[in-house]
Amino acid sequence: MDALRASYGDSSSDSDTDELSPAAENHGEVSTSGKHGKESISLPPPPLSLLESIGSTGSLDVYSTETVTRVRNFPHVHGNYALHVYIPVFIPLLAKKEIACVLKRVASLVPHLHLVEADIPLNILCNDDQKLDHALGREFHISLGRSVPLRVHQINSLVSMLRQKLQLHKRYWMDFNKWEVFVNDDSTRSFLSLEITTSGLSEISKQIDAVNEVYKLHNLPEFYKDPRPHISLVWALGDIRTSLKGAVDGELKKLRAGGCVQNRIFTSKFSGIECKIGNKTHKICKLPDE
């Protein structure tokens, strides 16, 4: 059992991507779920190894940033490991340029935005096209289930059941065609995201249903009743949906008037499903490259 724990890293290592509430008709949040209180933590600046993977030339001191205070999705408990089931997504080259254009404009209007996962201030990245391009070239995720704590004795069973439920899938296309702002369950963070509202929505919804079945068998909370598949690009502390949504909509209107952006942001092929537990990633379903 100790060897198994060691392979998954530190217990209760919370995912860097908070659970998001799908936007309701008007504002963008559903009622909170989960029975545990939230634990406030203060995070250090990004590690140098991460910054070197994104940066190029020049001193790394330009990335010095304010201390970021975030809230855990669940309290630290020894023997628990953060669980995240997701579809990996990479943004195509041409789409990265359009997305970077929008992000630069939004960063000039809304302060204190950070890149998802890396916690690097967006306004710093926007000063260097190469660094921003590298940042947008990383892997992004479409969540298929809530990020929740999993007990070590549940790991093998959950991974096995996920593979049984999700192993048979055909390749399909996913259209990311809408900029949207989401807020996590307790309104501690806001996220600027790219949502799927057409092609790929029905397939992903079925995959979420399959994950829910496995979660229920392990007494884990199910996903939102009306899921809205998306990838999150940047985040900010607190509930700033009004200002962030207003900035995005205003800039998109200007760019569309000038013919700089399209209705479809980008299209990606579904290529598989992964499950991250602690520090270990399991391939649940992977389609062969064409």
Side-chain angles (χ1 to χ4, degrees), residues 183-251:
V183 177
N184 65 350
D185 278 345
D186 53 5
S187 298
T188 57
R189 285 213 282 177
S190 301
F191 296 82
L192 178 57
S193 307
L194 300 179
E195 186 180 1
I196 295 172
T197 65
T198 53
S199 180
L201 178 60
S202 62
E203 290 88 349
I204 295 172
S205 297
K206 292 175 183 176
Q207 291 168 339
I208 290 173
D209 289 341
V211 173
N212 276 338
E213 290 181 26
V214 176
Y215 270 42
K216 282 191 291 185
L217 292 172
H218 291 82
N219 295 317
L220 300 174
E222 297 178 55
F223 209 45
Y224 302 103
K225 291 183 179 180
D226 297 308
R228 297 176 61 181
H230 61 274
I231 59 171
S232 292
L233 302 176
V234 297
W235 66 272
L237 287 173
D239 183 349
I240 63 164
R241 76 185 90 186
T242 301
S243 60
L244 186 53
K245 181 68 172 173
V248 173
D249 289 348
E251 293 308 310

Side-chain angles (χ1 to χ4, degrees), residues 91-103:
I91 300 173
L93 179 62
L94 290 178
K96 282 197 294 182
K97 295 180 180 180
E98 181 178 310
I99 291 169
C101 181
V102 175
L103 292 182

Side-chain angles (χ1 to χ4, degrees), residues 75 89 134 272:
V89 174
H134 275 285

Side-chain angles (χ1 to χ4, degrees), residues 16 98 117 119 136 138 144 154 156 233 242 258 261 268 288:
D16 201 42
E98 181 178 310
E117 302 286 349
D119 293 339
L136 293 175
R138 299 174 307 120
L144 299 181
Q154 296 178 301
N156 289 340
L233 302 176
T242 301
V261 296
S268 177

Side-chain angles (χ1 to χ4, degrees), residues 54-57 63 93 96-105 115 122-137:
I54 294 177
S56 54
T57 59
Y63 283 109
L93 179 62
K96 282 197 294 182
K97 295 180 180 180
E98 181 178 310
I99 291 169
C101 181
V102 175
L103 292 182
K104 286 179 181 180
R105 288 172 173 259
L115 186 72
L122 182 61
N123 63 332
I124 291 178
L125 286 174
C126 289
N127 290 330
D128 189 310
D129 288 342
Q130 185 178 3
K131 291 180 175 67
L132 183 56
D133 183 75
H134 275 285
L136 293 175

Side-chain angles (χ1 to χ4, degrees), residues 58-76:
S59 171
L60 292 175
D61 291 340
V62 299
Y63 283 109
S64 296
T65 179
E66 70 275 8
T67 299
V68 181
T69 300
R70 291 195 271 121
V71 177
R72 288 182 179 271
N73 291 339
F74 41 84
H76 176 89

